[in-house]
Amino acid sequence: AEIDNLWEARRGCWFAARDWNNDRTPLDNVYPGDCCVPLSQLPGVISQAEAVFTASGLMPIMCCHIADGNFHLTVPYSQAERQTLLECDKKVVELTLSAGGTCTGEHGVGLGKMKYMKAEHGEVHVNVMRSVKRALDPLNIMNPGKIFTLDDDEQL
């Protein structure tokens, strides 16, 4: 009952961002950003993250479950704004990492955050992860090309 209402409100963030266009002509998409920082860093990082996007003309909608330091920047954008959006997201991830956080709190690394793995964990740790992946999945059939590639020389 009450928990269902909370989840419904959270799920509604994406739809609210999609429907809010702030005088843009048709929005092509909504970007679901996801980062997590230590609680002591959260107020500053959220403020800085919002400033990064608003300075570029994009309006992030914050949807947070901040008790664990996780915050989502749900950002409506048009295709013409996509490069600006990606540049802003990179700055926010860099802010998050410099504050001792992680590039993803719950959405996972997948393809979009692969490029931050070495910056967050270091090359040695990424190579350990690759070794574990090779040992458990020698045919590379479980989520190939996600989180990291198996090529040690690749610049993530």
Side-chain angles (χ1 to χ4, degrees):
E2 185 177 345
I3 193 72
D4 293 333
N5 290 336
L6 291 172
W7 275 107
E8 187 60 33
R10 181 165 177 244
R11 282 189 283 271
C13 290
W14 188 92
F15 294 103
R18 180 199 63 194
D19 294 343
W20 180 67
N21 71 10
N22 197 29
D23 298 326
R24 288 183 176 87
T25 53
L27 291 176
D28 297 328
N29 214 336
V30 174
Y31 184 78
D34 168 46
C35 291
C36 190
V37 294
L39 286 175
S40 63
Q41 300 295 314
L42 188 61
V45 171
I46 284 178
S47 178
Q48 292 171 23
E50 182 179 32
V52 165
F53 279 96
T54 57
S56 295
L58 295 168
M59 296 302 295
I61 297 171
M62 293 271 188
C63 291
C64 309
H65 37 101
I66 58 174
D68 62 2
N70 194 311
F71 66 97
H72 302 273
L73 294 163
T74 309
V75 186
Y77 69 98
S78 68
Q79 195 58 38
E81 296 168 310
R82 181 169 171 72
Q83 189 57 42
T84 300
L85 171 101
L86 294 175
E87 290 166 9
C88 290
D89 185 60
K90 181 177 189 277
K91 289 177 186 174
V92 169
V93 170
E94 289 169 351
L95 284 168
T96 299
L97 295 179
S98 70
T102 179
C103 69
T104 181
E106 66 178 358
H107 289 183
V109 174
L111 298 172
K113 303 272 179 119
M114 257 190 350
K115 58 187 164 264
Y116 304 117
M117 290 298 288
K118 282 186 183 177
E120 181 172 340
H121 298 288
E123 188 168 353
V124 170
H125 289 113
V126 172
N127 285 335
V128 168
M129 289 185 246
R130 285 180 172 132
S131 295
V132 170
K133 166 75 170 166
R134 284 187 192 102
L136 297 177
D137 183 18
L139 300 178
N140 194 27
I141 58 174
M142 296 185 285
N143 286 330
K146 303 279 176 78
I147 303 176
F148 48 78
T149 65
L150 294 179
D151 181 2
D152 292 336
D153 297 327
E154 180 183 1
Q155 298 297 311
L156 297 177

